[in-house]
């Protein structure tokens, strides 16, 4: 969590602003259907999937992570990569590169409203984790 009481995933996604997470928490099937269609439009899924498959309950250490972040040995006692004294590492830099590519796709295929939602939830990882890391370094004085 940050000072703004946002839920930040290991890799810097803002779960509390994620359309899938919010729709899941609110049991909003119509919103999940809309985002299933958006994920297909963006090429994140090969077809429009069932809203049940779009549900997201947030990251945890026991679930599969497409980026391999949640099995990092440095995440044992911290909430996200921004709190890590090894930030930025090769693993999170690979996530940032993928996010940059996703950003380009979203800019080209999303409406302004869709893009803004996705940007706030997923596309600002580098900025969010860097801010958290700076705050953490200043608070804990690790370098």
């Amino acid at each position: 969590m940050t000072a703004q009481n946002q839920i930040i995933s290991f890799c810097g996604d803002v779960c509390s602003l994620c359309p899938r997470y919010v729709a899941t928490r609110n049991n909003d099937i119509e919103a999940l259907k809309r985002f299933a269609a958006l994920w297909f439009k963006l090429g994140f899924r090969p077809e429009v999937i069932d809203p049940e498959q779009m549900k997201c309950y947030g990251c945890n250490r026991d679930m599969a992570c497409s980026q391999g972040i949640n099995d990092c040995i440095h995440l044992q006692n911290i909430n996200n990569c921004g709190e890590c004294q090894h930030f930025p590492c090769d693993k999170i830099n690979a996530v940032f590169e993928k996010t940059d590519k996703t950003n380009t796709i979203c800019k080209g295929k999303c409406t302004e409203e869709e893009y803004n939602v996705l940007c706030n939830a997923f596309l600002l990882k580098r900025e969010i984790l860097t801010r958290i890391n700076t705050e953490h370094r200043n608070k804990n004085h690790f370098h």
Side-chain angles (χ1 to χ4, degrees):
M1 293 252 203
T2 67
Q4 297 86 15
N5 290 323
Q6 294 177 328
I7 301 168
I8 307 295
S9 73
F10 301 128
C11 72
D13 285 341
V14 183
C15 299
S16 48
L17 297 177
C18 169
R20 292 177 60 200
Y21 182 82
V22 172
T24 300
R25 300 236 3 189
N26 294 330
N27 199 28
D28 187 342
I29 301 302
E30 291 305 312
L32 289 168
K33 285 180 184 177
R34 285 192 305 277
F35 288 105
L38 178 59
W39 262 228
F40 171 69
K41 178 172 99 171
L42 295 172
F44 298 165
R45 299 290 189 277
E47 61 188 21
V48 176
I49 61 175
D50 185 270
E52 286 296 315
Q53 293 176 287
M54 284 298 293
K55 287 187 174 181
C56 178
Y57 298 93
C59 292
N60 66 62
R61 286 171 177 77
D62 298 325
M63 66 188 296
C65 174
S66 63
Q67 303 299 317
I69 295 292
N70 65 348
D71 62 6
C72 177
I73 61 169
H74 301 291
L75 284 175
Q76 297 304 316
N77 297 308
I78 59 177
N79 295 308
N80 58 57
C81 294
E83 295 178 4
C84 184
Q85 64 183 355
H86 303 284
F87 178 86
C89 67
D90 290 344
K91 202 176 258 196
I92 197 65
N93 281 331
V95 171
F96 294 156
E97 286 179 28
K98 182 177 180 186
T99 300
D100 291 342
K101 290 176 185 169
T102 301
N103 188 27
T104 301
I105 292 167
C106 292
K107 280 182 179 177
K109 293 185 177 184
C110 287
T111 65
E112 185 176 349
E113 181 182 348
E114 291 168 340
Y115 179 77
N116 288 335
V117 167
L118 297 178
C119 185
N120 290 328
F122 308 116
L123 302 176
L124 298 174
K125 291 174 174 64
R126 180 181 286 114
E127 295 83 353
I128 289 167
L129 292 178
T130 299
R131 180 178 40 82
I132 290 170
N133 189 259
T134 300
E135 291 169 3
H136 225 68
R137 285 181 186 276
N138 291 338
K139 183 173 121 187
N140 295 314
H141 307 298
F142 62 75
H143 300 281

